[in-house]
Structure formats: C-alpha cells, structure tokens
Amino acid sequence: MSVRIAPSLLAADFARLAEEADAVSAVADWLHVDVMDGHFVPNLTIGLPVVEALLRHARLPLDCHLMIEDPERWAPMYAEAGARSVTIHAEAAGAPIRTLRQIRATGARAGLAFNPATSVRPYAELLPEVDMLLLMTIEPGFGGQEFMDLVLPKIRHARELISAHGGEIWLQVDGGVSEETIGRCAEAGADMFVAGSAVYGSGDPASSVKALRELAIAAGRSAAASPPGGCPGAAS
Ligand code: DX5
Ligand code: ZN
C-alpha cells in the first residue's frame, strides 16, 4: 500500500502560506487545506480566493477538505479552480452523489469525510462515486487536538469495505496524527495521513514529514506481515 503524507496548512503561519507550502514541497505528496465556514464547524479559516492564490504558488497538489455547510454550492468551484482533490462531509451533504460527480467531472479526485461519530456503513454503496474516504480522528474544527483511538475500528472497517469494493480508493485519516499515532492508523489500514501540528509545530517540517512517512511505511509493512484479526470489536 502506498503511503501519502499531506501536511495541513491549518498549523502553518497563514501570513506566509506560500513559504510554508514550499517547506514541505520536496518531501510531502499533497498539501491539505482546511476550509471552515464557522457553521459546519465552530471555526473560520480560508475560502476560495486564498485557495486560488495558493494554487498559483504551491508545487504540491492541493487536497481541499471542506468543513462547510452547503457543499453542493461550493465544492465544484474548488475543483474547477484547480484543487486536485476536494472532500465534502457526509454530515453536510444533501446531495452527495451529485456533488461527488461534479467534482470528478472536473478531473479532480472526490472525497467523502466522516466525523468520528458518523458510521461509514450507510455510505458503502457510494464507494463507486469516491476516490477517497476521510475519517476524522478528532472532532473537526481545530488542529492540535488529541487523536481518538476509538476511530481505529472504523478505519479497519473502511479498509475492509474498500477491499471488498475492489477499487482504488484512498483512506485518509485527519486529526492528531503524529509520530506517536501514525503507526496505529497505518496498521488499521489508512494510506493517506494528514498532519498539521506534527509537521508545522515541530520546528523542522520537512524532517517531520520524512519521519512520519517512515513510521507509516514500517507499520503498514508489519501489519501486512501479520495475520488479520485480534482487533477490538467496536462499532464501526
Ligand atoms: C481539523 C482539520 C485538520 C487539522 C489537523 O478539523 O481537519 O486537518 O489541521 O490538525 P492536527 O494534525 O494538528 O490535529
Ligand atoms: Zn482537515
């Protein structure tokens, strides 16, 4: 399984976004951009104009995570602007299939995100419509929160659904991903890792990305080598 690391600019210096993006461009795979509207989550960050400006400067593809109400209205615009991946929240989407198709119609990857308390099971039939599932491992809205281990069984379950589906769907985790927690996520089946404070709060973003990648690869390898089973059976 390939490992993809997406530093989250939420933990970067917003006054120096282009430089902060550059700091990881040689070592990371994607740049994760958290768009929050102050309604779906109790925080307000950046919107389309700033994403458009970033697109002109960033060398890595942008992975836009929309924590907003009314994604039907906004998501296609991020994709049309040039974001290579656009993710909407299952909890906010009134017409997820239409919106995911509109994202894909631009050539971008379409992602569907789930808060910690939202089950992926009712959305299993939507797998043919998505390129990525994003499982939040914190309550969305703020960086720097503690990783929720209770999401690990859901990561395993999502990986099983993806395997059964047979398609090439990425499984992203977002929130509290650090050198301490990334191994557990990789063992559970995640293959794309968002990290904000663990990258931009470390003092050396590039080295942190490299360390996270090595840990994820090692954990994924050891999980592949050991037989499945033995995981706690929590609801997923
Ligand atoms: C929070 C965002 C995350 C955030 C993660 O709602 O979706 O992408 O940047 O930050 P850390 O890695 O610090 O938990
Ligand atoms: Zn995010």
Side-chain angles (χ1 to χ4, degrees):
M1 210 179 298
S2 310
V3 164
R4 297 169 189 89
I5 307 289
S8 169
L9 288 174
L10 186 63
D13 180 351
F14 272 22
R16 299 188 302 112
L17 280 181
E19 287 164 57
E20 296 278 69
D22 254 359
V24 295
S25 61
V27 289
D29 304 290
W30 291 75
L31 272 180
H32 185 83
V33 181
D34 290 299
V35 175
M36 305 186 191
D37 66 354
H39 295 278
F40 179 69
V41 286
N43 194 9
L44 186 63
T45 54
I46 59 173
L48 195 53
V50 176
V51 168
E52 285 170 339
L54 257 175
L55 281 162
R56 289 194 289 275
H57 290 281
R59 284 184 277 167
L60 289 174
L62 297 195
D63 169 38
C64 288
H65 175 194
L66 305 187
M67 284 158 278
I68 59 172
E69 289 181 353
D70 206 5
E72 288 71 27
R73 177 174 171 201
W74 296 104
M77 287 194 252
Y78 285 86
E80 280 157 17
R84 301 298 304 139
S85 176
V86 179
T87 298
I88 60 170
H89 264 264
E91 303 84 0
I97 297 171
R98 184 173 72 226
T99 309
L100 293 163
R101 286 182 180 175
Q102 284 176 333
I103 295 168
R104 275 182 160 178
T106 68
R109 299 176 61 84
L112 189 59
F114 298 85
N115 287 344
T118 306
S119 173
V120 294
R121 198 183 300 272
Y123 294 88
E125 285 165 11
L126 263 56
L127 287 184
E129 307 291 339
V130 304
D131 300 296
M132 182 174 83
L133 299 180
L134 187 176
L135 302 187
M136 292 303 304
T137 39
I138 53 168
E139 295 290 0
F142 299 93
Q145 300 181 68
E146 195 181 335
F147 179 84
M148 291 180 172
D149 279 282
L150 66 77
V151 182
L152 289 169
K154 186 161 71 175
I155 300 173
R156 291 190 192 96
H157 177 61
R159 172 53 63 196
E160 283 164 17
L161 288 177
I162 289 170
S163 300
H165 170 64
E168 164 71 6
I169 296 173
W170 297 354
L171 182 54
Q172 182 178 86
V173 283
D174 182 8
V177 175
S178 66
E179 291 181 28
E180 197 258 315
T181 60
I182 195 167
R184 305 209 280 286
C185 299
E187 272 165 30
D191 59 5
M192 184 163 181
F193 306 87
V194 175
S197 34
V199 170
Y200 286 108
S202 74
D204 186 347
S207 300
S208 299
V209 169
K210 287 186 203 161
L212 289 167
R213 187 189 302 283
E214 278 164 25
L215 289 165
I217 290 171
R221 234 185 247 135
S222 83
S226 55
C231 57
S236 52

